[in-house]
Amino acid sequence: MSPTLQLACDLISRASVTPEDAGCQALMTERLRAIGFHIESLRFDDVDNFWAVRGAGGPILCFAGHTDVVPEGDPAKWQSPPYEPTITDGLLYGRGAADMKGSLAAMVTACEAFVAEHPNHTGRIAFLITSDEEGIAANGTVKVVEWLEARGEKITWCLVGEPSSTQCVGDVIKNGRRGSLGCKLTVKGKQGHVAYPHLAKNPIHLVAPALADLAAEQWDEGNDFFPATSFQVSNFNAGTGATNVIPGEAAIVFNFRFSTESTADELKQRTEAILAKHGLDYDIHWHLSGEPFLTPAGALVDAAVTAIRAECGAEPELSTSGGTSDGRFIAPTGAQVLELGPVNATIHQINECVNVADLDKLSATYQRILKELLA
């Protein structure tokens, strides 16, 4: 096995379901400490994190990622046990293989190789690792970033190891993400018998025209980097379960994935204006998971494109598609942030896997980016 494949297997064998780390970070910090990194372990509530730095001054190139994984589901449905890394037909199977223990292994071995060649590199190399990315993300990267900000420490460039690729490693780089604004809306009516609707007030009937207007609304047109903002209802709950009872209230959960052409405050105001137009009696609770961010052409993008061309033979596409990542907590500090990792076709699925050869390509790509920026 290559060093990257061996480390990936060692990480996968640890059942680190959110927020458990299961010893993954200790394994990583042992390797990093051996090549001159200063390690600071940071535990917030029940979440383990660490910040590691090598170098005395200058710009910081930070590798960011998470050791936690989503639950494996029914182990009997896996072709091999989810926490026993297994190689079949050139693919490494196991929970976290693609999201994102393969990336973590590639980051560590890239740094080991780079430091061996450039022990006196310019600038600083850092790691920001959490075990709270797949969960509520309240005590992980966001808390470490707050801790760094309080110390006046700024990340210059950040590579997040999320599985960004689609067909082959390096074919897609995420250079931004849409914002995510969630909402729980409760529309109040009056419960009653379906045979006497004049004595009741059906909240489903009342809210339906408002939801139709919200779904039809053109929130913005997007721009060169982002698609138009989207509105989607994910849950609608009402009723007692009986067929002859008009419900007293309806609860609706919806989400905006929004571009830099809209702000969270604007979306809230426009939504509540539509609800008011329909004269609804309602309670509303908003949750902003992250603002949109974008890293345009610059030193980090140039280094990543150069590295991918050289090590993967691919011409990367810059994309802002997909969900959110912990990059949303790092970008607002002024850092240039990219997501670059393996193929994402099997993430969160039964039989999650990653191409074995892609792990070494990814390590070589990370190493080339280090050379471009810090050699």
Side-chain angles (χ1 to χ4, degrees):
M1 288 189 182
S2 72
T4 305
L5 177 57
Q6 182 63 65
L7 181 53
C9 290
D10 290 345
L11 291 168
I12 292 167
S13 68
R14 290 158 167 80
S16 54
V17 177
T18 309
E20 295 298 323
D21 168 67
C24 293
Q25 293 182 23
L27 182 60
M28 293 179 67
T29 55
E30 180 183 3
R31 299 277 288 261
L32 294 174
R33 189 177 284 111
I35 57 172
F37 277 81
H38 172 66
I39 312 294
E40 294 181 83
S41 297
L42 303 165
R43 187 172 175 87
F44 300 111
D45 198 9
D46 60 345
V47 174
D48 288 311
N49 311 277
F50 76 82
W51 172 252
V53 180
R54 188 186 196 279
I60 295 176
L61 171 55
C62 176
F63 291 98
H66 59 91
T67 54
D68 60 314
V69 297
V70 297
E72 67 276 14
D74 183 357
K77 294 182 178 179
W78 286 69
Q79 67 178 42
S80 55
Y83 301 109
E84 291 182 17
T86 304
I87 299 171
T88 304
D89 297 329
L91 298 175
L92 171 63
Y93 288 86
R95 175 56 87 222
D99 189 13
M100 56 176 284
K101 291 180 175 180
S103 297
L104 297 179
M107 291 170 176
V108 171
T109 58
C111 288
E112 289 173 335
F114 176 75
V115 167
E117 289 185 4
H118 304 278
N120 300 312
H121 58 81
T122 62
R124 289 169 285 173
I125 311 170
F127 278 73
L128 193 171
I129 305 297
T130 183
S131 61
D132 183 35
E133 195 273 347
E134 299 289 9
I136 61 174
N139 294 299
T141 299
V142 64
K143 288 287 182 67
V144 179
V145 168
E146 290 172 359
W147 177 79
L148 290 171
E149 288 284 286
R151 300 204 316 185
E153 199 154 9
K154 292 283 189 181
I155 296 169
T156 312
W157 306 295
C158 183
L159 284 171
V160 184
E162 290 293 341
S164 62
S165 306
T166 56
Q167 300 297 324
C168 62
V169 67
D171 63 352
V172 176
I173 304 170
K174 303 284 186 173
N175 68 322
R177 291 282 192 165
R178 293 174 293 174
S180 177
L181 176 64
C183 181
K184 181 175 181 180
L185 171 69
T186 302
V187 176
K188 302 173 184 179
K190 183 180 179 181
Q191 186 172 313
H193 196 295
V194 296
Y196 302 96
H198 59 288
L199 299 176
K201 194 175 181 181
N202 194 321
I204 299 174
H205 295 183
L206 294 172
V207 75
L211 290 179
D213 282 356
L214 289 167
E217 183 77 2
Q218 180 71 43
W219 301 97
D220 59 47
E221 296 181 356
N223 54 37
D224 290 342
F225 301 100
F226 291 93
T229 291
S230 67
F231 165 90
Q232 288 293 316
V233 174
S234 57
N235 288 272
F236 192 121
N237 295 289
T240 64
T243 61
N244 59 352
V245 179
I246 294 169
E249 63 180 32
I252 302 98
V253 178
F254 58 84
N255 179 269
F256 288 99
R257 292 301 165 104
F258 62 103
S259 76
T260 49
E261 296 298 308
S262 295
T263 69
D265 286 343
E266 289 170 350
L267 295 173
K268 292 176 185 179
Q269 291 167 5
R270 290 173 63 184
T271 297
E272 292 179 27
I274 290 172
L275 298 176
K277 182 183 76 172
H278 289 273
L280 300 177
D281 181 10
Y282 65 89
D283 291 328
I284 193 164
H285 299 280
W286 295 97
H287 176 67
L288 178 63
S289 298
E291 296 279 2
F293 69 89
L294 179 72
T295 296
L300 183 58
V301 170
D302 291 347
V305 169
T306 297
I308 290 168
R309 286 171 177 164
E311 304 298 338
C312 304
E315 190 62 37
E317 171 195 352
L318 296 176
S319 171
T320 61
S321 65
T324 59
S325 78
D326 275 1
R328 70 189 189 273
F329 303 127
I330 301 167
T333 68
Q336 296 178 36
V337 178
L338 293 182
E339 296 172 29
L340 173 57
V343 172
N344 57 25
T346 63
I347 60 173
H348 294 205
Q349 295 182 16
I350 300 294
N351 295 325
E352 179 181 354
C353 61
V354 66
N355 189 299
V356 168
D358 284 354
L359 294 178
D360 287 327
K361 288 181 181 179
L362 189 58
S363 179
T365 300
Y366 289 153
Q367 184 183 350
R368 179 65 69 102
I369 293 172
L370 283 161
K371 290 179 181 178
E372 291 289 326
L373 295 172
L374 300 181

